[in-house]
Amino acid sequence: MPSRQRRLLLGAIGTAISGAAGCLGGSSTDPAGTPSDDDPLALPSVVTRGDFPDGEVRLVEPGTVTLLNFFTTWCKPCQREMPDFRKLRAAYGADALHMVSITPEVDETLVREFWTEYEGTWPVVSDPALEATQRWNANSYPTNLLFDADGTPATGDDPEVRARTFEEFDALVAPLVGES
């Protein structure tokens, strides 16, 4: 089976399995039962070569503007965003913009192949129990969330942004980086 077809099939299976795991798993909650944004969430890194972190990656980094990208390997819009994210990573160093991509897929080999094929240059983590997905209600792909340096959603009450191109992301990120 060609690589792309294999990715689509395994990605769909992995997402289905991780969805079931998310229904069984838990996340940090406050007494009312809602997720607590004060509790830092870290997930295991999938790609650990070169400058990529080994171990767990903190999703929202205090004191740094943060962009979270929820994706799957089989998602066409996710694939189309990769060049724009590479430009964003090149325009803003890791000290100015903390970028993390998050996938629910359980096949780490598939995710590593995707990261190599699409030349990901920022950390990618695995969320098979859907902890981050549930915390930020990221139920579609791609979902992109932006937080200011204080960890506050950058677009009001909701951190979700509708940006899809480098220019749209840059217009949102530049003022936040300038403030931090």
Side-chain angles (χ1 to χ4, degrees), residues 113-124:
E113 288 173 0
F114 176 89
W115 220 242
T116 298
E117 181 178 343
Y118 288 94
E119 302 173 12
T121 56
W122 58 96
V124 57

Side-chain angles (χ1 to χ4, degrees), residues 55-131:
E56 295 211 332
V57 176
R58 193 173 191 166
L59 298 189
V60 177
E61 191 63 45
T64 307
V65 175
T66 298
L67 174 64
L68 300 180
N69 162 248
F70 290 82
F71 81 103
T72 62
T73 60
W74 48 265
C75 162
K76 295 295 182 192
C78 301
Q79 295 166 4
R80 286 191 294 270
E81 283 183 337
M82 291 296 287
D84 293 308
F85 283 136
R86 278 195 312 276
K87 284 184 191 176
L88 204 58
R89 170 47 62 225
Y92 299 96
D95 291 340
L97 177 64
H98 180 68
M99 289 176 59
V100 181
S101 286
I102 304 160
T103 184
E105 295 180 58
V106 295
D107 186 338
E108 291 188 2
T109 300
L110 192 66
V111 175
R112 283 191 289 272
E113 288 173 0
F114 176 89
W115 220 242
T116 298
E117 181 178 343
Y118 288 94
E119 302 173 12
T121 56
W122 58 96
V124 57
V125 299
S126 177
D127 186 22
L130 304 177
E131 292 176 81

